[in-house]
Amino acid sequence: MASKSSSLQLGHNISFMSEPQTHPTQSSSKVLVIGGGVTGLITAWVLLDRGYQVTIVSKQWTSYDKEQRLTSQIAAALWEYPPAVCGQHTDPTSLIRSKEWCMTAYQIWEAIAADPALAKMAGVQMRKSIFFFPKSLVDTPTQLLKLGEIHGSGAHEVRRDVGLIEEMGVDLSCGAVDAYELLVPIIDTDKCMAWLMNLVQHKGACFVTETIRGDIFSEERSLLRRFNAGAIVNASGLASKELASDPSCYPLRGALLRFINDGKDFPKITAAMSIGVDASLDNEIMFLVPRNDDILIAGGIAQRDEWYLDLTLDSPVVQRMRARCEAFLPCLKNARLDPEYPLAQGLRPGREKNFRVERDCRTRGGRQSRIVHSYGHGGSGWSLSFGCAEEVVALVEDVLQERDDLSELRCRL
């Protein structure tokens, strides 16, 4: 019997061990998760540790060749307190919820980073993240309010210091006049996605490679029957435009340059640095994130409604992106690109009303759908991961309880 949902607590209802925190039985409910990205995998992890049996269906999985990789692998995966640099979350309700979810994720990523062996396997580190601003925070109420919220959030080593501009070698001509820093999880997505897949597989997840077409509500009965599931979680990201018949979904094309960060061509960068779209003077993103001990990723762009991943190093937008990074931190003019994978690009899953984490409200035969949605996270999938999963699991348990109550009523009749 799976345990009823409660707040995620390490060692109570979520575990880093390769076996589920609560072992399933023959009567344990089965859940179908659609989507093999970070949202789908972490939702599956939380479900498995509650004692559920889980099947994950995805058209594509983590890959490590020079071909196109998953959006979850390409993501900067720098934890941010909302609104994020490229999270695209501006809806008031979304912001309130995401501020709670991001702190749940912060605590779990931090716990992973605190175990040296686990941190190495998962590719998670706690590092400084510095945000720069073209105006004094005193003259920017929204940013000053955000800094105050971060101070009270539980994030560590939060400090406002204008001296960070000179300390980090930022060129004054870029317009930075104020800054603050905090300690955050930084995730090597290639390594972490492989670790997550291995973890959920050892906990009992079944992987199915398949492309699902059309609105899954129309195929709900068939999917539930075929996978012997009591509920479906849609974590398909941008594919939800089709799978959830949601016309408000749209792509935010992003791109990153990957530099060799070994200390030979420029002083090794160990802290993340960024100017967000809401703080920059030219309305373009600039961020630098030390992906791991050898790679620095530099970005970025957020191009709405651009569906094609056809950018190259010679594309004007990519050249402007590099020029912004070099203007911000002049030492990068000497940077060497990673010869194996110099340019990464992907489609962030945007949505008009920001993310959707809720049960599908449509009905059939007088009964509400058993589909729970979790998509539209923009560029914040890693930052919101565990917090979203916690709420999704609670919604799934409501679906399953409703089904059990109906079965019990039928038995009585």
Side-chain angles (χ1 to χ4, degrees):
M1 181 79 175
S3 60
K4 188 65 178 174
S5 182
S6 59
S7 298
L8 288 182
Q9 298 176 38
L10 187 59
H12 171 62
N13 53 20
I14 187 167
S15 163
F16 302 146
M17 303 297 290
S18 59
E19 58 183 34
Q21 182 73 29
T22 299
H23 287 273
T25 66
Q26 288 186 341
S27 62
S28 293
S29 296
K30 296 180 175 66
V31 180
L32 172 63
V33 175
I34 301 174
V38 62
T39 300
L41 291 177
I42 288 182
T43 301
W45 175 359
V46 177
L47 285 164
L48 289 160
D49 273 350
R50 300 292 173 94
Y52 296 105
Q53 299 180 61
V54 177
T55 297
I56 308 172
V57 174
S58 182
K59 66 178 182 180
Q60 182 183 359
W61 305 96
T62 300
S63 63
Y64 301 94
D65 53 27
K66 296 182 181 180
E67 300 301 318
Q68 181 60 39
R69 300 182 185 181
L70 287 181
T71 298
S72 291
Q73 289 179 263
I74 293 163
L78 169 69
W79 182 94
E80 289 186 75
Y81 189 84
V85 167
C86 53
Q88 298 292 314
H89 298 133
T90 55
D91 175 76
T93 302
S94 290
L95 278 175
I96 291 171
R97 297 168 78 192
S98 62
K99 287 172 183 177
E100 297 173 357
W101 293 342
C102 78
M103 292 315 302
T104 299
Y106 185 100
Q107 292 161 7
I108 295 177
W109 292 124
E110 181 186 26
I112 293 172
D115 182 321
L118 191 60
K120 184 176 181 179
M121 287 190 295
V124 182
Q125 303 179 65
M126 297 297 290
R127 292 194 176 188
K128 294 286 188 180
S129 180
I130 307 170
F131 294 87
F132 298 91
F133 303 89
K135 296 180 182 179
S136 169
L137 293 181
V138 175
D139 299 325
T140 316
T142 55
Q143 293 295 343
L144 191 62
L145 175 63
K146 180 177 177 178
L147 177 58
E149 290 181 353
I150 293 172
H151 266 292
S153 69
H156 303 310
E157 301 182 27
V158 184
R159 180 175 68 100
R160 178 187 173 198
D161 185 357
V162 176
L164 289 165
I165 299 170
E166 181 178 357
E167 179 184 332
M168 300 309 297
V170 175
D171 193 310
L172 295 179
S173 66
C174 78
V177 299
D178 210 340
Y180 66 75
E181 67 177 6
L182 66 156
L183 193 66
V184 305
I186 293 180
I187 301 160
D188 182 339
T189 53
D190 283 329
K191 185 176 285 189
C192 196
M193 285 295 290
W195 176 73
L196 286 170
M197 286 189 67
N198 183 67
L199 181 69
V200 298
Q201 188 171 37
H202 278 86
K203 285 180 180 287
C206 176
F207 293 165
V208 175
T209 303
E210 180 181 329
T211 300
I212 294 177
R213 300 290 188 187
D215 188 340
I216 55 176
F217 177 73
S218 301
E219 301 298 322
E220 180 177 352
R221 288 182 178 176
S222 173
L223 289 168
L224 291 170
R225 197 163 45 241
R226 183 173 149 213
F227 291 98
N228 191 25
I232 299 171
V233 174
N234 171 34
S236 63
L238 190 56
S240 293
K241 188 176 184 70
E242 175 184 352
L243 299 188
S245 290
D246 188 344
S248 72
C249 293
Y250 60 87
L252 276 170
R253 184 168 68 174
L256 306 169
L257 292 167
R258 292 168 56 96
F259 294 131
I260 302 298
N261 188 27
D262 58 6
K264 294 180 180 179
D265 303 298
F266 56 87
K268 193 177 183 71
I269 294 173
T270 59
M273 293 176 268
S274 58
I275 295 180
V277 67
D278 59 338
S280 63
L281 293 175
D282 58 4
N283 203 38
E284 289 191 305
I285 304 168
M286 198 300 301
F287 58 81
L288 304 169
V289 181
R291 170 70 89 205
N292 49 43
D293 291 335
D294 302 310
I295 297 294
L296 176 75
I297 59 172
I301 59 174
Q303 298 178 310
R304 179 167 173 161
D305 295 322
E306 290 287 352
W307 285 92
Y308 296 104
L309 297 174
D310 55 3
L311 296 174
T312 69
L313 292 172
D314 295 323
S315 297
V317 68
V318 174
Q319 292 184 335
R320 290 199 308 272
M321 179 176 71
R322 178 164 189 168
R324 285 198 305 276
C325 294
E326 292 176 351
F328 177 80
L329 209 63
C331 66
L332 293 180
K333 293 177 181 178
N334 301 319
R336 283 173 295 139
L337 288 166
D338 174 12
E340 292 298 314
Y341 198 50
L343 175 67
Q345 55 187 311
L347 302 179
R348 304 180 187 96
R351 186 171 181 264
E352 292 291 349
K353 293 185 178 180
N354 303 154
F355 53 74
R356 184 185 186 189
V357 178
E358 64 182 9
R359 183 176 178 182
D360 199 307
C361 63
R362 290 175 289 183
T363 61
R364 179 181 285 108
R367 295 186 190 133
Q368 189 175 352
S369 169
R370 294 190 211 166
I371 301 168
V372 175
H373 298 285
S374 184
Y375 64 86
H377 299 89
S380 297
W382 288 91
S383 293
L384 303 179
S385 53
F386 290 98
C388 279
E390 180 180 36
E391 182 151 335
V392 168
V393 171
L395 292 168
V396 167
E397 290 181 331
D398 288 342
V399 171
L400 296 174
Q401 184 61 52
E402 185 180 285
R403 182 198 62 172
D404 292 344
D405 290 345
L406 181 61
S407 297
E408 184 177 342
L409 178 61
R410 283 174 175 167
C411 289
R412 289 178 180 174
L413 295 175

